Amino acid sequence: MGVFYITTPIYYPTAPPHIGHAYTTVYADVLARYHRLIGDETFFMTGNDEHGLKLQRAAEKRGIHPKQLVDEMEGVYKNYWRLLNISYDHFIRTTHSYHEEVVKHSIQKLYDKGLIYKASYAGWYCADCEKYYSPGEYIEIDGKPYCPIHRKPLEFLEEETYYFKLSEFEDYMVKLLSERDIVYPKTYALEVLNKIKTEGLRDVSIARPKERVWWGIEVPFDKNYTVYVWFDALLNYISGIGYLRDMDRFEKYWSNVHHIIGKDILWFHTAIWFSILKALDIEPPKRLIVHAFLLNRGLKIGKSAGNVIAIEDLLDRYNGGDGVRYILMRIFNHQKDVPVTTELFDSIYNSELADNYGNLIRRVGVLSMKKLNGDVSADRIDEVLEYKISETVEKYNREMENYNVSSAIIAVNELLRTANQYINEKRPWEKNDPSLELYSLLEAIASSSIMLYPVIPEAAGKILNLIGVDEISIKRLSVPLRDRYHVSDAPILFKKVK
Ligand code: ME8
């Protein structure tokens, strides 16, 4: 039993979350739920990134104060996370006063250490990324610089600002990324290393003049400036677990922190974040787990690309949170972008959830009630299933420990397929006493449901309840799990979509 701290990025609440945000958040939730099941003291944090130019402009556009906008959006985000059954322990907002304290303290500390200086800046900015682009990083359309991610024209900005001496951390970063296994998968560490090796680490602007960006945390050593939104946002990972307020708690969780991010914000979470932490005398995170994009019509799903797929559309089509969670986790990929299509989603839902899992439960449940009055026991498990269950549990745990949720799901799915073949071959409906067969099948159903519980908590919880397995512990997932089962219902869990 250990401690497990897991975070998602904090999202810009300029619009409701879409399935890209759900992809990251559900993934973090599955890992959090898995770690709770194996007995780890787990802390799962998500939240919203509420300051900066992007937010300020979104509020201006609606003619309201940014605070009103972010207050409204807190409810919107929380509601989506409720519909998706996200079991966060804390929802952090960067407008919380304890967070603002940490930001002020941290920037002051860097200033006192001589790591911040004032100079002028001129460059091309994307407000959607909240980031400057240097030549070579942006794309050109009709000779004008455009954001490579949002495909919008960049704005030219020239102003006096404060810089953080990122360049001083170049050797530290190179050593860290080459010697320690922090970034997962490793290819992303190599990508960052390459960028540092070819371009070097350049100092970054970490303040904005208030006259342009007033919606932010005031720089403690110059009231004419606000703190750059990325510097502000990254610190959520330490402020949310009690940095400064409760250092024991902070140190406990920080010792095993796992950040989950999309690959779009890799640079901020390595070069910049690891350097800020070093400057604050804090250890780098244990793990930074990176995933690729969901695509629609060939482009990364996003508001600016105009190809957003709404979470509610999927919730409607796939029968609520469980269906959406399962599909998103089944296609989850760290390295490869995944195109989202209705055909793909329908086929996963129909063949795996409705047929493979749902049908098996229905068939075994109905037969147990009809043939054995719902009381099922035997003195052994049929070895075909016994072997497959043990093998699957082992594989599942290995994959989950390696953050490969989709491979873990595939393993369970294979077990369910074997169970379906078993029932077809053994034909228990033709037997007078099919105790051995039904008991063995219930063992397969029970262990599959426990393994799927982090992914589909509602359906799996319901099934375990119906077959009388009350205590869900993956640790205790041995074969046999129970001496007997009592089946009280055989519901249709997932209605097929057409
Ligand atoms: O970047 N495919 O917030 P954000 C996969 N506030 N994941 C996607 C996705 C897609 N098409 N679209 C979004 C910010 N995501 C900052 C973060 S953290 C200190 C500050 C997910 O609202 C993915 O996790 O733009 C990506 O990294 C994140 O949403 C960006 O969310």
Side-chain angles (χ1 to χ4, degrees), residues 367-424:
L367 278 173
S368 300
M369 291 191 295
K370 209 160 104 186
K371 294 267 181 184
L372 304 166
N373 276 328
D375 285 313
V376 188
S377 65
D379 52 11
R380 62 179 184 95
I381 308 179
D382 201 321
E383 61 245 346
V384 187
L385 286 181
E386 186 175 15
Y387 174 76
K388 188 71 189 172
I389 295 170
S390 314
E391 184 197 60
T392 307
V393 170
E394 213 173 282
K395 184 150 190 232
Y396 168 89
N397 278 316
R398 202 168 52 237
E399 296 293 359
M400 288 300 260
E401 290 299 331
N402 288 322
Y403 322 114
N404 289 324
V405 169
S406 62
S407 310
I409 294 177
I410 290 170
V412 179
N413 214 39
E414 276 166 15
L415 166 60
L416 291 167
R417 203 169 301 131
T418 306
N420 275 305
Q421 276 162 7
Y422 177 86
I423 195 170
N424 291 343

Side-chain angles (χ1 to χ4, degrees), residues 452-482:
L452 287 178
Y453 181 78
V455 184
I456 47 170
E458 246 174 81
K462 186 169 171 185
I463 288 313
L464 288 165
N465 205 6
L466 283 177
I467 61 176
V469 179
D470 40 12
E471 206 181 306
I472 307 165
S473 162
I474 287 186
K475 265 246 178 89
R476 291 181 46 251
L477 237 182
S478 53
V479 201
L481 198 67
R482 283 281 188 282

Side-chain angles (χ1 to χ4, degrees), residues 251-323:
E251 270 151 27
K252 178 172 90 180
Y253 288 122
W254 192 255
S255 68
N256 200 20
V257 51
H258 293 66
H259 296 313
I260 314 295
I261 59 163
K263 65 181 180 180
D264 48 339
I265 53 179
L266 173 66
W267 180 254
F268 288 106
H269 280 80
T270 48
I272 299 183
W273 181 223
F274 296 178
S275 302
I276 293 174
L277 287 168
K278 175 74 180 160
L280 292 173
D281 309 307
I282 299 173
E283 280 289 300
K286 183 75 172 294
R287 281 277 188 202
L288 175 71
I289 302 165
V290 188
H291 66 70
F293 295 147
L294 291 180
L295 308 178
N296 185 15
R297 302 193 293 269
L299 292 176
K300 176 193 172 208
I301 291 178
K303 203 177 139 212
S304 24
N307 60 354
V308 161
I309 298 174
I311 295 171
E312 54 268 37
D313 291 351
L314 297 191
L315 286 167
D316 280 352
R317 188 163 179 85
Y318 303 111
N319 202 17
D322 277 349

Side-chain angles (χ1 to χ4, degrees), residues 8-13 18-24 49 54 77 128-129 150 230 233-237 260-265 269 291-295 299-302:
T8 71
I10 48 172
Y11 306 112
Y12 292 126
H18 54 67
I19 66 164
H21 303 108
Y23 194 54
T24 314
D49 185 356
K54 188 175 162 119
Y77 273 70
D128 280 334
C129 295
H150 297 97
W230 266 102
L234 286 163
L235 289 166
N236 91 85
Y237 299 133
I260 314 295
I261 59 163
K263 65 181 180 180
D264 48 339
I265 53 179
H269 280 80
H291 66 70
F293 295 147
L294 291 180
L295 308 178
L299 292 176
K300 176 193 172 208
I301 291 178

Side-chain angles (χ1 to χ4, degrees), residues 224-239:
N224 295 318
Y225 285 83
T226 54
V227 176
Y228 173 40
V229 63
W230 266 102
F231 185 84
D232 169 351
L234 286 163
L235 289 166
N236 91 85
Y237 299 133
I238 62 173
S239 73

Side-chain angles (χ1 to χ4, degrees), residues 174 177-181 183-198 266-267 270 335:
V174 169
L177 290 171
S178 14
E179 289 176 7
R180 281 183 49 184
D181 236 357
V183 184
Y184 180 86
K186 229 189 180 121
T187 42
Y188 290 109
L190 300 178
E191 197 181 306
V192 177
L193 264 176
N194 258 340
K195 188 170 150 81
I196 296 176
K197 281 182 182 157
T198 48
L266 173 66
W267 180 254
T270 48
Q335 320 243 30

